[in-house]
Structures are given as structure tokens and as C-alpha cells.
């Protein structure tokens, strides 16, 4: 059970001119708004998986951009409007930070180091619920990363160090359509050809793998988490020597064991 590669602003001189014409005000407002929009959109463009980070960036960048532009170019009424907008942005940022703080986190304690994951139940609720249930019952303890493909994925959640298969207690519906993308350091569920066959096995993308994403209504591989610490451990695992064992390719020659998976 694994993803198949083929699928897978200028101040005015107020002493020389103290009154702005309607046309000048309109032009100034347009320039300010365009500049603020560029700053705001730039701060948002980096957030695919971490919305709170984007709001923090917007909250940090917008005050300087809006205050300087508004104070130099706009009448008092518009400046107050900008202040109101900033208040709203700050409120949204606080809300996003609270949401991120509430995101469940899990640590994979391996013999090569710890990998900390942040889960996204608002984007893949059933998948996250299934994963946390397995963590809480100790299902992943003692299992290995049984499939390692450098430049693609590292996969775990199905076999122990003797390559004995651990039967999964449940499967979970596919939630990839409209979901998160398989980008570097994201975590997704492995599955069979049936989109709804994911169970306990998961993989960490070690590069952007857009071919694993859903396309339109065609399901892909459900992303439900992201590595927030321990990316160097992921790289270490990616680069271990592998071979073919028990008919499976990409099996590490030396076991990479999940000693335990625990909530943080």
C-alpha cells in the first residue's frame, strides 16, 4: 500500500499646497490601496498550510504600509478607515493564532530522532480523527519506516522490524478533493487503488509531489498534517541505504523504528 509514482508612497508638501483636489485624493487613495493590497497579498501567498503564519505576516506588514501611505496621501477620514481595517486584520490574526494553537500535534519518536507533526482536522477531519485514534491506542509503537524512496516519500504505519504486517482496525474515506497539497514535509495517507482504502499507513513527502494531489473530482492522496520540527530526521531517513526484502522495494537496510507516537 503506497502512492504509485505515476499517479502519485510620496508625501505631499503641505506648506506649498494644503488642499487636495477630488481628483488628487482619488489618485492618492488608488495608489495607497494598490500598495496595501500588494503587501497583503504577498503575505498571504506564502500560506498554503499555515494560515496563521500568513495573518501574522499581514499584521506585521500592513501597519507600516498603511500608516505611511495614509498619513502622507489621504485625508483624515480615510486614515481612520485604514485604522479600522488594521483593527480587523489584527482581530483575524489573533483568531488564526488561536486556531493554530489548538491544532493537535503528534511526535513520532524514532531511533534516529523525533519528528513533530501538526495536524489539520479542519481540512481532513476523518483522516485526522483516525490517525489520532491509532496514536492514542499505541498502534504505531514499534512499527518501522518500511518504504523509503529518496526524492519522493518515506512511508510507515504497516510493518514491524520483522516486516510482519500489523492489520489495521479501520479504513477512512478519502478527503483529498479540495484538500491540502502534497508539498514537501506534508504528511498524507497511503492507500490502494480504491480511494477510500486508507487505513494506518502514512507517508511524508520529501519533495513537492503534485501528481499525488486530487485533480478536479478525481481523488488523490489525503494530506492531513505537516512536519513542524525534525525535518533533518526526515532527511536522514530519506538517505538511508535500502534494498529489497520480502518482495518489497525501498526497505531500509537498518531498521528505522517508531519507538512510540504520542500527542504533544
Amino acid at each position: 500500500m503506497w502512492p504509485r509514482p505515476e499517479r502519485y508612497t510620496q508625501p505631499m508638501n503641505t506648506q506649498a499646497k494644503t488642499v487636495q483636489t477630488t481628483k488628487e485624493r482619488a489618485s492618492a487613495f488608488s495608489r495607497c490601496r494598490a500598495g496595501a493590497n500588494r503587501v497583503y497579498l504577498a503575505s498571504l501567498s506564502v500560506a498554503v498550510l499555515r494560515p496563521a503564519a500568513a495573518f501574522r505576516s499581514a499584521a506585521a506588514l500592513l501597519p507600516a504600509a498603511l500608516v505611511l501611505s495614509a498619513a502622507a496621501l489621504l485625508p483624515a477620514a480615510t486614515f481612520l478607515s485604514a485604522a479600522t481595517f488594521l483593527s480587523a486584520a489584527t482581530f483575524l490574526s489573533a483568531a488564526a493564532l488561536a486556531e493554530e494553537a489548538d491544532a493537535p500535534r503528534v511526535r513520532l519518536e524514532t531511533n534516529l530522532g523525533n519528528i513533530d507533526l501538526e495536524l489539520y482536522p479542519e481540512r481532513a477531519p476523518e483522516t485526522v480523527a483516525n490517525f489520532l485514534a491509532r496514536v492514542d491506542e499505541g498502534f504505531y509503537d514499534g512499527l518501522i519506516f518500511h518504504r523509503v524512496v529518496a526524492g519522493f516519500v518515506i512511508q510507515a504505519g504497516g510493518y514491524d522490524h520483522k516486516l510482519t504486517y500489523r492489520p489495521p482496525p479501520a479504513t477512512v474515506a478519502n478527503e483529498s478533493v479540495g484538500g491540502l497539497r502534497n508539498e514537501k514535509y506534508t504528511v498524507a495517507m497511503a492507500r490502494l487503488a480504491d480511494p477510500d482504502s486508507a487505513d494506518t499507513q502514512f507517508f511524508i513527502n520529501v519533495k513537492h509531489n503534485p501528481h499525488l494531489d486530487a485533480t478536479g473530482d478525481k481523488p488523490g492522496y489525503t494530506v492531513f498534517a505537516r512536519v513542524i520540527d525534525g525535518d533533518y530526521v526526515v532527511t536522514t531517513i530519506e538517505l538511508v541505504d535500502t534494498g529489497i526484502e520480502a518482495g518489497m522495494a525501498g526497505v531500509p537496510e537498518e531498521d528505522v523504528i517508531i519507538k512510540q507516537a504520542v500527542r504533544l
Side-chain angles (χ1 to χ4, degrees), residues 71-137:
L73 298 174
L74 302 178
T78 306
F79 180 79
L80 290 174
S81 177
T84 301
F85 177 73
L86 282 174
S87 297
T90 302
F91 174 78
L92 290 173
S93 177
L97 283 170
E99 178 183 326
E100 183 178 73
D102 291 338
R105 297 183 177 186
V106 167
R107 171 169 292 165
L108 304 177
E109 299 180 2
T110 83
N111 58 325
L112 295 183
N114 297 337
I115 303 172
D116 292 349
L117 312 178
E118 184 172 80
L119 281 58
Y120 301 103
E122 73 281 0
R123 304 302 298 270
E126 292 188 34
T127 303
V128 168
N130 176 70
F131 184 78
L132 289 175
R134 305 292 80 80
V135 168
D136 292 342
E137 67 190 23

Side-chain angles (χ1 to χ4, degrees), residues 6 20 69 115 122 130 133 143 160 171 190 204 211 236-237:
E6 70 273 13
Q20 292 179 312
S69 297
I115 303 172
E122 73 281 0
N130 176 70
L143 297 185
D160 65 16
T171 57
I204 300 176
H211 59 291
T236 299
I237 297 173

Side-chain angles (χ1 to χ4, degrees), residues 15-77:
Q15 292 182 337
K17 187 174 184 179
T18 59
V19 179
Q20 292 179 312
T21 65
T22 300
K23 182 177 181 180
E24 288 170 334
R25 288 178 179 174
S27 177
F29 178 77
S30 179
R31 289 195 301 274
C32 178
R33 183 173 59 184
N37 282 342
R38 283 193 296 272
V39 172
Y40 183 63
L41 291 175
S43 69
L44 289 181
S45 65
V46 299
V48 176
L49 296 175
R50 300 292 294 276
F55 280 113
R56 285 199 301 270
S57 177
L61 293 173
L62 277 172
L66 284 176
V67 171
L68 289 175
S69 297
L73 298 174
L74 302 178

